[in-house]
Amino acid sequence: MISQLTGTLLAIEDGNAELSVGSFVYEVAVPGYDIPSLSMQIGADVGFFTINYLEGQGQGSSFVPKLIGFQSRSDRAFFKVFTTVKGIGNRKALRALQVSPSRVAEAIVQQDPKFLATLPEIGKRTAESIVVELKGKVDGFLSTTRSSGASGSAAGGHAASSHPFAEDAVLVLLQLGEHRSAAQNLVERILAIDPEVASAQLLVTKALRLRGTT
């Protein structure tokens, strides 16, 4: 069983990373929230904490081994918990998780099925099931930024902590080498100028441009 892989990232395509490890190239499925940061690391060495599973083909007549990769042990652990919900398999979970585990955990803890229902593949009934089945099981996946976000006194800090893509953008910036305080500051400054940023990827792009001018 493969539990970790480290190699050169060759490409990101259709939700899969192509990772060159020695003389082998592995196809690793990745959750949507990791794609923006991985897309900026093509050609670099990256590591994944992996899950192995068999995917049925031809109505179950054959099975193909598959790998799912995460950039942290915590993200892998959250995925394992998330897929314990009835009706959520690996593929469905990968498509649904377009925001960070900490953001999904926050919605579960706050019993917010309306937010969960906005995720791909997650309808109203499934969202309600997630809240019920995972209540009390995901508190450990809340980020320190979200759990203490209300303590920020600046208006910009409050806007960032409540923005749906703020924490995802901060996590991407951390993966790109920024210190947390600097990443949060960049995100807050962008949101103060443009609070209607439509995606985490766009927020990261704007933050990197701002960093380059300061």
Side-chain angles (χ1 to χ4, degrees), residues 15-90:
N16 294 301
E18 290 186 5
L19 193 70
S20 177
V21 182
S23 58
F24 296 94
V25 175
Y26 292 88
E27 182 179 86
V28 183
V30 294
Y33 61 82
D34 270 341
I35 289 177
S37 64
L38 290 171
S39 297
M40 297 179 184
Q41 299 180 69
I42 303 297
D45 286 345
V46 299
F48 291 110
F49 296 91
T50 58
I51 290 174
N52 307 258
Y53 76 102
L54 294 175
E55 185 172 88
Q57 304 285 320
Q59 297 183 336
S61 60
S62 62
F63 294 88
V64 176
K66 295 285 186 178
L67 281 172
I68 305 173
F70 306 88
Q71 295 191 77
S72 72
R73 292 182 187 274
S74 176
D75 285 3
R76 180 175 63 181
F78 178 85
F79 189 87
K80 289 180 178 180
V81 173
F82 191 68
T83 51
T84 62
V85 176
K86 184 178 180 180
I88 298 183
N90 291 324

Side-chain angles (χ1 to χ4, degrees), residues 54 75 77-78 136-137 147 151 190:
L54 294 175
D75 285 3
F78 178 85
K137 298 180 180 179
S147 61
S151 64
I190 292 299

Side-chain angles (χ1 to χ4, degrees), residues 92-109:
K92 188 170 186 176
L94 283 169
R95 290 190 290 267
L97 292 174
Q98 298 297 313
V99 298
S100 67
S102 64
R103 181 66 185 92
V104 177
E106 180 187 39
I108 295 168
V109 170

Side-chain angles (χ1 to χ4, degrees), residues 82 85-88 92 108 112-134:
F82 191 68
V85 176
K86 184 178 180 180
I88 298 183
K92 188 170 186 176
I108 295 168
D112 184 6
K114 288 185 178 180
F115 173 79
L116 295 172
T118 66
L119 300 175
E121 304 280 336
I122 305 297
K124 180 181 178 181
R125 288 187 179 180
T126 302
E128 292 172 347
S129 295
I130 292 171
V131 170
V132 171
E133 294 185 36
L134 299 187

